[in-house]
Amino acid sequence: MASTGRVDLDGRPIKAMTICMIGAGGFIGSHLCEKLMAETPHKVLAVDVYSDKIKHLLEPQSGGASLPWGDRIQFHRLNIKNDSRLEGLIKMSDLIINLAAICTPADYNTRPLDTIYSNFIDALPVVKYCSENGKRLIHFSTCEVYGKTIGSFLPKDSPLRQDPIYYVLKEDTSPCIFGSIEKQRWSYACAKQLIERLIYAEGAENGLEFTIVRPFNWIGPRMDFIPGIDGPSEGVPRVLACFSNNLLRHEPLKLVDGGQSQRTFIYIKDAIEAVLLMIENPTRANGQIFNVGNPDNEVTVRQLAEMMTQVYSKVSGEAPLEVPTIDVSSKEFYGEGYDDSDKRIPDMTIINRQLGWNPKTSLWDLLESTLTYQHRTYAEAVKQAISKAVAS
Ligand SMILES: NC(=O)c1ccc[n+]([C@@H]2O[C@H](COP(=O)([O-])OP(=O)(O)OC[C@H]3O[C@@H](n4cnc5c(N)ncnc54)[C@H](O)[C@@H]3O)[C@@H](O)[C@H]2O)c1
Ligand SMILES: O=C(O)[C@H]1O[C@H](OP(=O)(O)OP(=O)(O)OC[C@H]2O[C@@H](n3ccc(=O)[nH]c3=O)[C@H](O)[C@@H]2O)[C@H](O)[C@@H](O)[C@@H]1O
């Protein structure tokens, strides 16, 4: 590995590495590839079944000159479920990052088998090849492994609900609390928890060098799809894309079960800074599980809907709807077996101590840049789709 001129947090030179990034064509992968190309000399073997979100990194845009990062990024279209090329790509790499997963809640209770296979079974060979070949692994888990907060089981009027010990989620002390088996929502969280335990055990018993990332609602441009435009008309993406779709179509935002659940949202670009620190500081990141979120950006889903409505009106110049939201039951919206995390505030002690990282962007600012992107990218296409539907 050649030196890069960059230094790590302890002042040691960082060597250029080859990174096998599985799921590189998704939302997080596309931002991570962009960052690695723009700011580092590392090479990326980008593995995915789709490449639309990283097209701009793989080939010059129409009429443009060659790409500044040349051939440092290579796309390998393969499905890790059933492709023998995976092991070879892992062997060629210094670091493996696994992002591949089914990770939209609408799938957890309606396609629980695919969800469990994708998040546990399909990740097994990746862990095995890393362990057998002595390769470092950064695996993407989720804040959903915490499930529900302890506080949610206390009486509604209990003063203990105000005590952070009952709701702040900490990597090494918080329990993982899921609903019953009939609540298939938890198939995802449970599969992610088991793969975390397996990776941890590979570290303990076989010396696998690993880092586990638990993202807390990372959002930004290129997240999921807009139904009927760049994804299926009946598809249900995560909340940012659902609400963006409603705003683009001038229809009320749907609040599931009153929109009382709470989330902390973090701007994808802040979160990617944390991942780059993990990549380039293995001695500080190995053996760690990291929460990556923004505890200062907490809102209820209802408040998120209200803020997105205001921000969208500002960036689009269109007046907000008179009735901006409507209530819908979770059964109607997601079907049988849905359940929800009540509240998600990440404890930041470990990532602060190990990597000195903190998020920067406020919720308003991150929504402003994201909705500007959504409006610029989709408004015209949505308008055309609506007028076509009216004409036919
Ligand atoms: N976005 C978030 O806030 C968030 C939060 C918690 C956890 N995560 C985790 O981070 C990871 C990435 O999330 P994302 O938001 O970028 O999701 P995403 O769906 O945009 O990206 C996942 C990518 O993996 C690819 N993939 C899935 N199965 C594959 C297979 N068998 N072979 C090859 N490629 C495959 C998909 O095509 C997709 O491009 C996931 O593991 C997810 O569980 C994300
Ligand atoms: O992003 C994360 O950190 C994790 O959480 C997400 O789960 P969740 O936050 O429940 O999923 P969203 O689709 O973003 O929904 C957030 C909340 O908004 C609500 N919602 C969603 C969509 C909608 O149109 N209306 C609405 O009220 C949901 O019921 C939920 O309470 C997903 O499971 C994963 O992407 C990820 O692992």
Side-chain angles (χ1 to χ4, degrees), residues 103-106 108 141-144 185 188 192 214-219 223-224 236-240 242-243 246 253-259 261-265 301-302 304 328 330 333-334 338-341 344:
C103 54
T104 38
Y108 308 163
S141 180
T142 173
C143 59
E144 285 211 18
R185 157 59 183 260
Y188 167 77
K192 287 279 202 199
R214 291 181 180 166
F216 280 64
N217 292 82
W218 299 9
I219 60 174
M223 185 168 198
D224 299 335
V236 180
R238 287 170 284 188
V239 69
L240 174 82
C242 285
F243 286 175
N246 299 143
L253 283 56
K254 293 183 176 156
L255 296 178
V256 172
D257 292 340
S261 298
Q262 290 166 290
R263 296 287 187 272
T264 49
F265 292 94
V301 174
R302 179 178 289 278
L304 175 74
V328 51
S330 54
F333 194 79
Y334 288 113
Y338 181 75
D339 199 2
D340 209 352
S341 301
R344 287 182 185 159

Side-chain angles (χ1 to χ4, degrees), residues 27-28 30-32 34-35 39 56 217-222 266-276 292 357-361 366 369-370 373 376:
F27 163 57
I28 296 177
S30 71
H31 287 274
L32 189 52
E34 255 176 17
K35 183 85 169 175
E39 295 180 24
H56 60 295
N217 292 82
W218 299 9
I219 60 174
R222 295 197 291 271
I266 178 172
Y267 192 34
I268 181 71
K269 290 187 195 296
D270 288 356
I272 291 294
E273 296 273 352
V275 182
L276 185 56
V292 180
W357 172 86
N358 281 303
K360 301 190 267 263
T361 314
L366 77 85
S369 59
T370 305
Y373 171 90
R376 200 179 56 225

Side-chain angles (χ1 to χ4, degrees), residues 337-363:
Y338 181 75
D339 199 2
D340 209 352
S341 301
D342 53 303
K343 186 172 173 77
R344 287 182 185 159
I345 300 196
D347 182 284
M348 305 301 288
T349 313
I350 295 182
I351 194 159
N352 246 297
R353 183 188 68 211
Q354 295 300 115
L355 302 174
W357 172 86
N358 281 303
K360 301 190 267 263
T361 314
S362 69
L363 187 56

Side-chain angles (χ1 to χ4, degrees), residues 128-317:
K128 179 170 156 255
Y129 298 146
C130 288
S131 193
E132 286 172 355
N133 294 289
K135 302 294 181 179
R136 182 175 172 228
L137 171 66
I138 298 182
H139 185 84
F140 272 71
S141 180
T142 173
C143 59
E144 285 211 18
V145 296
Y146 294 110
K148 298 174 186 240
T149 63
I150 303 173
S152 69
F153 294 90
L154 295 168
K156 285 261 180 296
D157 54 356
S158 167
L160 290 178
R161 277 186 176 240
Q162 308 311 315
D163 185 340
I165 198 145
Y166 295 109
Y167 63 80
V168 173
L169 304 169
K170 188 161 185 331
E171 297 91 327
D172 53 354
T173 53
S174 296
C176 302
I177 309 175
F178 304 152
S180 67
I181 304 299
E182 297 89 75
K183 297 286 184 199
Q184 295 203 78
R185 157 59 183 260
W186 302 107
S187 57
Y188 167 77
C190 197
K192 287 279 202 199
Q193 187 197 154
L194 191 54
I195 198 75
E196 278 201 22
R197 290 191 186 274
L198 184 108
I199 292 168
Y200 198 89
E202 280 288 349
E205 292 190 32
N206 296 326
L208 173 69
E209 291 183 343
F210 73 86
T211 302
I212 289 170
V213 187
R214 291 181 180 166
F216 280 64
N217 292 82
W218 299 9
I219 60 174
R222 295 197 291 271
M223 185 168 198
D224 299 335
F225 57 91
I226 296 300
I229 304 297
D230 55 3
S233 308
E234 300 308 313
V236 180
R238 287 170 284 188
V239 69
L240 174 82
C242 285
F243 286 175
S244 300
N245 183 39
N246 299 143
L247 291 165
L248 286 156
R249 293 177 190 275
H250 307 110
E251 59 190 28
L253 283 56
K254 293 183 176 156
L255 296 178
V256 172
D257 292 340
Q260 290 313 302
S261 298
Q262 290 166 290
R263 296 287 187 272
T264 49
F265 292 94
I266 178 172
Y267 192 34
I268 181 71
K269 290 187 195 296
D270 288 356
I272 291 294
E273 296 273 352
V275 182
L276 185 56
L277 285 168
M278 293 174 208
I279 293 172
E280 297 196 323
N281 291 275
T283 51
R284 287 168 176 254
N286 282 347
Q288 300 290 338
I289 300 177
F290 289 121
N291 285 345
V292 180
N294 187 337
D296 297 332
N297 281 350
E298 190 185 33
V299 278
T300 63
V301 174
R302 179 178 289 278
Q303 287 166 334
L304 175 74
E306 287 162 1
M307 199 185 279
M308 283 182 68
T309 303
Q310 268 181 290
V311 173
Y312 190 73
S313 173
K314 179 177 173 201
V315 303
S316 67

